């Protein structure tokens, strides 16, 4: 096998909503690469890992065709490709292996503010504009609704104003675009987040070792982003209650406090965010000197 084939290839969106988050995540996993977004190819300088920077729509195909081993792409794109290929009886040769913590959005059906809608059967015979034709088709089939799907490659939200559709089916994150176009959501079709996919093709043992290492680090990075290290002083008598209140922590470390027999120091890694309410509850239970710190790295 030649040297290029022994390098793990990861497909990442070249320029868009997932780009910065994806590159940041890979950098946090310890991969150093020349950050030149104008290039299609980024060479990993310290690991046998290269990045291919491409349009997000191309990522499932590159991974399915074994040109890339891994890819980071939105679930909406994955579903659109998977359903399209399945319908055409083409093989789907990738699998979803991790759900990430960015790129959150929902694919929703929306309609002009002033129009009437009470139930999904009102979509019967209507025209719905979308760029997610396959996902919408699948949804309508499951709901046994016969509607006309009008393909829009972008700017779906203007379709009703142009008289091209009665409804739209588009991605929403804050809802500002719908509101700005006097549209309101009537039904959610799919919840989406950035997802890691992996080729189903055979991967050499050498590359698999690196992929496992990257995935293990990635799990650590994701866990760390939610985790906090919490330190406090607790009366011995309230220890059980205070331990119970610590969010998502395993056995905390309990240490004696010099010259203070009735109090202990408690340290714990909380695998969930620690909110003000939690700190207030801990304080009410008798905790003092509360300190919450970010966690830099974690390995299990
Ligand atoms: O050039 P390329 O094909 O790579 O990029 P693209 O234009 O197809 O995709 P891009 O960069 O816009 O989005 C990439 C991925 O980000 C999508 O496939 C989703 O998985 C995810 N994502 C998350 C979103 C949004 N949030 C989002 N809000 N993708 C698109 N939008 C659009 C939506 O289509 C609508 O026009 O943002 C508008 C709505 O946003 P709000 O905040 O006003 O509701
Ligand atoms: Zn795209």
């Amino acid at each position: 096998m030649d040297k290029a084939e022994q390098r793990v290839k990861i497909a990442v969106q070249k320029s868009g909503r997932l780009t910065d988050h994806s590159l940041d995540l890979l950098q946090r996993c310890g991969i150093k690469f020349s950050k030149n977004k104008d290039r299609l190819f980024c060479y990993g300088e310290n690991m046998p890992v290269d990045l291919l920077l491409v349009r997000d729509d191309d990522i499932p195909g590159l991974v399915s065709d074994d040109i890339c081993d891994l890819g980071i792409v939105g679930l909406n794109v994955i579903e659109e490709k998977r359903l399209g290929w399945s319908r055409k009886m083409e093989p789907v040769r990738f699998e979803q292996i991790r759900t990430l913590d960015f790129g959150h959005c929902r694919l929703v059906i929306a309609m002009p503010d002033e129009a009437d809608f009470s139930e999904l059967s009102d979509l019967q015979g209507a025209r719905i504009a979308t760029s997610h034709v396959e996902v919408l088709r699948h949804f309508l089939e499951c709901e046994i609704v016969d509607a006309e799907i009008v393909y829009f490659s972008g700017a779906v939200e203007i379709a009703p104003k142009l008289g091209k559709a009665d409804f739209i089916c588009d991605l929403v994150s804050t809802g500002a675009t719908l509101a700005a176009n006097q549209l309101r959501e009537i039904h959610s079709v799919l919840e989406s987040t950035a997802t890691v996919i992996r080729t189903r093709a055979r991967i050499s043992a050498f590359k698999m070792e690196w992929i496992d290492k990257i995935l293990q680090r990635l799990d650590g990075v994701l866990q760390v982003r939610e985790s906090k290290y919490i330190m406090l002083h607790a009366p011995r008598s309230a220890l059980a209650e205070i331990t119970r209140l610590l969010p998502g922590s395993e056995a905390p470390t309990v240490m004696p406090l010099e010259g203070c027999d009735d109090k202990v120091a408690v340290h714990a890694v909380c695998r969930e965010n620690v909110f003000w309410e939690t700190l207030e509850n801990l304080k009410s239970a008798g905790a003092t000197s509360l300190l919450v710190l970010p966690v830099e790295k974690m390995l299990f």
Side-chain angles (χ1 to χ4, degrees):
M1 198 178 278
D2 74 32
K3 268 191 176 160
E5 278 182 47
Q6 288 287 38
R7 296 181 67 84
V8 176
K9 290 182 191 60
I10 308 180
V12 174
Q13 189 185 24
K14 182 176 167 64
S15 164
R17 289 170 194 263
L18 304 182
T19 307
D20 288 346
H21 289 290
S22 304
L23 295 179
D24 176 67
L25 180 64
L26 295 171
Q27 274 175 328
R28 282 176 196 271
C29 291
I31 309 171
K32 289 202 179 112
F33 44 84
S34 45
K35 218 178 175 182
N36 185 348
K37 283 197 211 158
D38 296 330
R39 281 172 31 195
L40 174 69
F41 191 81
C42 276
Y43 187 83
E45 291 163 4
N46 60 335
M47 294 188 197
V49 178
D50 300 324
L51 310 186
L52 246 74
L53 300 179
V54 292
R55 288 201 58 189
D56 65 347
D57 315 73
D58 296 335
I59 294 175
L62 286 167
V63 175
S64 190
D65 293 342
D66 192 27
I67 295 165
C68 291
D69 306 285
L70 301 177
I72 300 178
V73 62
L75 182 64
N76 54 307
V77 175
I78 294 174
E79 284 301 274
E80 186 65 16
K81 297 290 173 190
R82 191 181 62 77
L83 291 165
W85 295 342
S86 301
R87 197 168 52 78
K88 289 186 257 164
M89 314 279 252
E90 287 174 20
V92 178
R93 284 174 302 226
F94 65 78
E95 56 190 318
Q96 291 162 228
I97 53 168
R98 292 292 187 283
T99 299
L100 302 174
D101 59 355
F102 58 87
H104 302 289
C105 56
R106 290 177 308 122
L107 185 67
V108 306
I109 299 180
M111 67 190 293
D113 278 337
E114 69 284 356
D116 281 334
F117 178 87
S118 55
E119 51 191 31
L120 279 177
S121 60
D122 292 347
L123 295 174
Q124 188 74 25
R127 294 165 306 160
I128 312 176
T130 191
S131 55
H132 289 76
V133 172
E134 299 294 342
V135 179
L136 177 59
R137 190 201 319 270
H138 180 72
F139 172 78
L140 293 173
E141 280 169 5
C142 292
E143 296 294 332
I144 322 173
V145 172
D146 191 13
E148 184 191 339
I149 299 174
V150 182
Y151 176 69
F152 260 62
S153 59
V156 179
E157 63 278 0
I158 59 168
K161 281 210 184 86
L162 295 176
K164 298 282 184 200
D166 312 298
F167 296 84
I168 68 159
C169 177
D170 197 14
L171 296 173
V172 169
S173 49
T174 62
T177 305
L178 286 189
N181 287 282
Q182 292 87 45
L183 296 164
R184 75 185 149 96
E185 176 183 336
I186 54 170
H187 200 88
S188 183
V189 173
L190 177 79
E191 297 241 354
S192 179
T193 8
T195 301
V196 181
I197 53 173
R198 195 210 111 147
T199 183
R200 285 219 171 104
R202 214 192 73 77
I203 296 177
S204 73
F206 175 80
K207 283 212 292 190
M208 209 52 229
E209 246 177 61
W210 281 99
I211 290 177
D212 286 342
K213 188 177 287 208
I214 294 164
L215 292 175
Q216 191 181 46
R217 290 183 185 184
L218 192 142
D219 290 339
V221 171
L222 295 177
Q223 189 76 69
V224 153
R225 292 218 258 235
E226 280 282 286
S227 299
K228 293 282 177 277
Y229 192 78
I230 185 163
M231 302 196 282
L232 54 86
H233 290 173
R236 275 186 192 279
S237 56
L239 193 55
E241 173 63 1
I242 284 173
T243 307
R244 193 186 64 76
L245 285 171
L246 288 170
S249 70
E250 285 156 22
T253 309
V254 179
M255 290 160 287
L257 279 170
E258 189 67 34
C260 196
D261 289 343
D262 57 340
K263 274 190 170 185
V264 284
V266 178
H267 290 196
V269 173
C270 296
R271 300 224 175 127
E272 295 167 28
N273 223 333
V274 179
F275 296 105
W276 280 111
E277 288 74 19
T278 310
L279 293 185
E280 284 152 8
N281 292 340
L282 286 165
K283 194 164 184 287
S284 304
T288 52
S289 307
L290 289 129
L291 208 57
V292 181
L293 305 171
V295 177
E296 168 78 19
K297 285 191 178 65
M298 228 186 232
L299 198 63
F300 306 103

